[in-house]
Amino acid sequence: MRLFVAVLPPAARLAELGVAVDELHTLPGADRLRWAGRDDWHLTLAFLGEVAEDVLPDLHARLARAAHRTPPFGLRLHAGGRFGDRVLWAGVAGTTDALRLLAERADAAARRAGVPMDEHRRYHPHLTLARSRAGVDLHPYVESLAGFEGAGWEVGEVLLVRSRLPVAGVPGETPRYEVVGRWGLGV
Ligand code: 2AM
């Protein structure tokens, strides 16, 4: 199954972001962006890709240990950015060192459980809001998000999420996410 490890901001924090994102929908080209479903907003720590069933028990045990070794920490959603002209995202601020460490631990847990983890992208914390293939200028979107400052929350758990890809060729379909494991931090 296709898996990733993520942190989920609480509903109230996502609702604040939602208000800022409502504004974005009035900008030129907004209807040509593929917006991530608001119920699916998350902060990815590590993308595992396709994982064999027999790896799962060890993966769960190692993620539990990674969570156990990481005390809860504070974050807030903050401003936004883009990856080239393809991805628009909301950023995070606060104890981002702890978030980065948790991402490294999730990556190491997966690797040690036997997941290849062969993508060596530098970890850049972000919450994907929209994707574009249509050449929409994302600068105004990033500018609009610049003043966004969400309230803080304490990250208290890490999630293992299954992603079911949409049926190819069905317009507007997005992956479906299902939480298949969750571990409290520091417990
Ligand atoms: P994104 O938010 O930047 O798109 C589930 O697909 C999650 O894993 C998404 O949040 C996605 O990041 C992240 N991810 C990281 N690497 C990925 C990859 N190679 N393919 C698909 N998703 C990836």
Side-chain angles (χ1 to χ4, degrees):
M1 63 182 79
R2 193 178 159 90
L3 295 173
F4 63 98
V5 179
V7 159
L8 206 59
R13 304 290 77 87
L14 293 177
E16 288 166 359
L17 177 62
V19 173
V21 171
D22 286 343
E23 297 285 316
L24 303 181
H25 283 275
T26 64
L27 292 172
D31 53 345
R32 284 182 287 135
L33 296 178
R34 287 182 298 131
W35 294 90
R38 294 186 182 204
D39 292 343
D40 293 333
W41 281 350
H42 62 271
L43 296 162
T44 300
L45 292 174
F47 179 73
L48 279 56
E50 212 42 60
V51 174
E53 291 278 337
D54 60 352
V55 165
L56 295 179
D58 195 26
L59 176 65
H60 280 238
R62 290 180 186 278
L63 286 173
R65 230 172 296 154
H68 169 70
R69 282 193 286 141
T70 311
F73 57 91
L75 276 189
R76 62 184 192 276
L77 296 170
H78 159 83
R82 60 192 175 87
F83 295 140
D85 56 4
R86 293 184 48 88
V87 178
L88 173 71
W89 44 263
V92 293
T95 322
T96 51
D97 284 355
L99 184 68
R100 194 173 295 279
L101 181 61
L102 185 57
E104 281 167 15
R105 286 177 170 163
D107 183 277
R111 211 177 279 280
R112 290 191 186 123
V115 180
M117 304 299 289
D118 36 28
E119 274 196 45
H120 291 290
R121 285 195 210 164
R122 197 175 152 272
Y123 180 62
H124 191 295
H126 66 281
L127 184 156
T128 294
L129 296 173
R131 298 182 178 80
S132 171
R133 271 191 247 121
V136 177
D137 179 10
L138 295 179
H139 286 93
Y141 293 82
V142 175
E143 274 162 34
S144 174
L145 286 169
F148 173 68
E149 201 66 64
W153 83 94
E154 188 175 79
V155 178
E157 65 176 6
V158 62
L159 307 178
L160 181 63
V161 186
R162 179 174 189 180
S163 165
R164 287 191 172 85
L165 292 178
V167 180
V170 180
E173 281 274 291
T174 52
R176 281 184 298 123
Y177 298 145
E178 178 197 353
V179 175
V180 293
R182 57 169 80 221
W183 299 273
L185 298 186
V187 294

